[in-house]
Amino acid sequence: MSRVLVLNAKALLGTWPLGTTRVNGARMPQLPQLENAWLFAENGRITAIGQHATEAPPEPTPETRIVHAEGRFVLPGFCDSHTHTVFAATREGEWEDRLRGLTYQQIAARGGGIMSSAHALRAASEEDLFQQALTRIQELMRMGTVALEIKTGYGLNTEAELKMLRVIHRLRRTLPLEIKATLLAAHAVPTEYKEDRAAYMRMILHELLPRAVEEGLADFLDVFCETGYFTVKDMEDLLSAAARYGLKGKVHVNQFTSLGGVASAVRHHALSVDHLEIMTEQDLRALRGTDTIPTLLPGCSFFLGIPYAPARRLLEADHAVALASDFNPGSAPSGNMVHTMALACTQMKMLPTEALTAATQNGAAAMDLGKQLGSLTVGKHASFIITRPLPSPAAIPYFFGSDVIDTVFIHGDIVRSGSAIA
Ligand SMILES: [Zn+2]
């Protein structure tokens, strides 16, 4: 039986009460914490937490792993609910073209962008894709990510999309972190269907989606609802079809333009609406009072130089805002969630406490993992981060660019060992 006992933590952060699966905007600034505290985990689950002043921790047995957390914070591991971590090639060349003045849309029109990723991915073997993604995710785990959603969308034909899903499943079987797979065949219209988007839609609806479901490979369905990509009607058709197979939607909407996709996604009970850089009053109204999680991706705004999503408006409307990295080779080549939090604070005026909950509990909720992950709560997975000694929780995003993480546990096992491990 594996046992972990964390002693003398400066504080446990995110000790949300039993039964918490998401945290709404109004409660997000009040991050619950337990000062001068201990945490005990058995068999991959948190079994007890307490404060040294009021309650002694359990007696360690010889096999209990002791962690000395003096001066350090313990926080739930990051739950990154929107990534494109499986890809065949990086795109620095396009990035340099953008630095020289071309826009993301101009690059896409020249056959770059998502289509260039698709050409590389179709040519890559399943083994090569797996090995590349494995290396990337091992780095993400060291940066504190304990749950990860990964999308397809660089295959753009049945065989290559299924190949991506199989790679995601092999990653799930191989790695200790939680992985969710999202079918994003409607990421771009591939060149061979350029003149006939409807035929590509039929292929997804009648061939790819049924096969992905039949083989048990997809957890969610996604669509890039955007000018020049897929229409609101396309998204509705895809979300309706997915619902018939029991798959929830997590959609890319309002990144460059507002087409009414938010209202439509909400009507189709999407689990999350992601991006939201361009939000009209109508879009904000459509979201109000719904359970759909607005997922913000400030790393993408940073890297593309596009506007940031209106985080304050969403928080003030009491939404359970989530933060994700959008890790992908074109618009956000980083899965660093501490950096994502720093951008959320500096660029979107989220408070450090709000950013922390958005990157943990609400990210978990945006993957339907809110019951298992996202807080330091008895019964949840022992998937947590121990920081290096820090003056306050706000210092986590404050020291942007610094490596504030010391040790990472997933399911009670060490995936990164720092100086807190004696
Ligand atoms: Zn994305």
Coordinates of all heavy atoms in Angstrom, one line a residue, residues 82-84 151 184 187 222 252 255 275 297 326 328 331, ligand 1:
H82 N -7.7 22.0 -22.4 CA -7.7 22.3 -23.8 C -6.3 22.3 -24.4 O -5.5 23.2 -24.2 CB -8.4 23.7 -24.0 CG -8.5 24.1 -25.4 ND1 -9.6 24.7 -26.0 CD2 -7.6 24.1 -26.5 CE1 -9.5 25.0 -27.2 NE2 -8.2 24.6 -27.6
T83 N -6.0 21.2 -25.0 CA -4.6 21.1 -25.7 C -4.7 20.4 -27.0 O -5.7 19.6 -27.3 CB -3.5 20.5 -24.8 OG1 -3.6 19.0 -25.0 CG2 -3.6 20.8 -23.4
H84 N -3.7 20.6 -27.8 CA -3.5 19.9 -29.1 C -2.1 19.3 -29.0 O -1.2 19.6 -29.8 CB -3.6 20.8 -30.2 CG -4.8 21.7 -30.2 ND1 -5.8 21.5 -31.1 CD2 -5.2 22.8 -29.5 CE1 -6.8 22.4 -30.9 NE2 -6.4 23.2 -29.9
K151 N -6.8 17.0 -28.1 CA -7.7 17.0 -29.3 C -7.1 16.4 -30.5 O -5.8 16.5 -30.7 CB -8.1 18.5 -29.6 CG -8.8 19.2 -28.5 CD -9.0 20.7 -28.8 CE -9.4 21.4 -27.6 NZ -10.7 21.1 -27.0
L184 N -11.8 16.4 -32.9 CA -11.9 17.7 -33.5 C -11.6 17.6 -35.0 O -10.7 18.3 -35.5 CB -10.9 18.7 -32.8 CG -10.7 20.1 -33.3 CD1 -12.0 20.9 -33.4 CD2 -9.6 20.9 -32.5
H187 N -11.7 20.9 -37.5 CA -10.7 21.9 -37.1 C -10.4 22.8 -38.2 O -10.2 24.0 -38.1 CB -9.5 21.1 -36.6 CG -8.5 21.9 -35.8 ND1 -7.2 21.5 -35.6 CD2 -8.6 23.1 -35.2 CE1 -6.6 22.4 -34.9 NE2 -7.4 23.4 -34.6
D222 N -15.4 18.4 -30.6 CA -15.1 19.8 -30.7 C -15.2 20.3 -32.1 O -15.2 19.4 -33.1 CB -13.6 20.0 -30.2 CG -13.2 21.4 -30.0 OD1 -13.9 22.3 -30.4 OD2 -12.1 21.6 -29.3
H252 N -14.4 25.4 -29.9 CA -13.7 26.6 -30.2 C -14.6 27.6 -30.7 O -15.1 27.5 -31.9 CB -12.6 26.3 -31.3 CG -11.4 25.5 -30.9 ND1 -11.5 24.2 -30.6 CD2 -10.1 25.9 -30.7 CE1 -10.3 23.8 -30.3 NE2 -9.4 24.8 -30.4
Q255 N -12.9 33.1 -31.4 CA -11.5 33.4 -31.3 C -11.2 34.7 -32.1 O -10.5 35.6 -31.6 CB -10.6 32.3 -31.8 CG -9.1 32.6 -31.7 CD -8.3 31.4 -32.2 OE1 -8.7 30.4 -32.6 NE2 -7.0 31.6 -32.1
H275 N -11.9 29.7 -25.9 CA -11.3 30.9 -26.5 C -12.0 32.2 -26.0 O -11.5 32.9 -25.1 CB -11.3 30.8 -28.1 CG -10.2 30.1 -28.6 ND1 -8.9 30.6 -28.6 CD2 -10.1 28.9 -29.2 CE1 -8.1 29.8 -29.1 NE2 -8.7 28.7 -29.5
L297 N -7.9 31.0 -22.8 CA -6.6 30.5 -23.3 C -5.6 31.7 -23.5 O -5.3 32.0 -24.7 CB -6.8 29.7 -24.6 CG -8.0 28.7 -24.6 CD1 -8.3 28.2 -26.0 CD2 -7.6 27.5 -23.7
D326 N -4.0 25.6 -24.2 CA -4.1 25.5 -25.7 C -2.9 25.0 -26.4 O -2.6 25.3 -27.5 CB -4.6 26.9 -26.3 CG -5.1 26.8 -27.7 OD1 -5.4 25.6 -28.1 OD2 -5.1 27.8 -28.4
N328 N -0.2 23.9 -28.6 CA -0.3 23.5 -30.0 C 0.8 24.2 -30.7 O 1.4 25.2 -30.3 CB -1.7 23.9 -30.6 CG -1.8 25.3 -30.9 OD1 -1.3 25.7 -32.0 ND2 -2.3 26.2 -30.1
S331 N -0.4 28.2 -32.5 CA -0.8 29.5 -31.8 C -0.4 29.5 -30.3 O -0.7 30.5 -29.6 CB -2.3 29.7 -32.0 OG -3.0 28.7 -31.4
Ligands
ZN1 ZN -7.4 25.0 -29.5

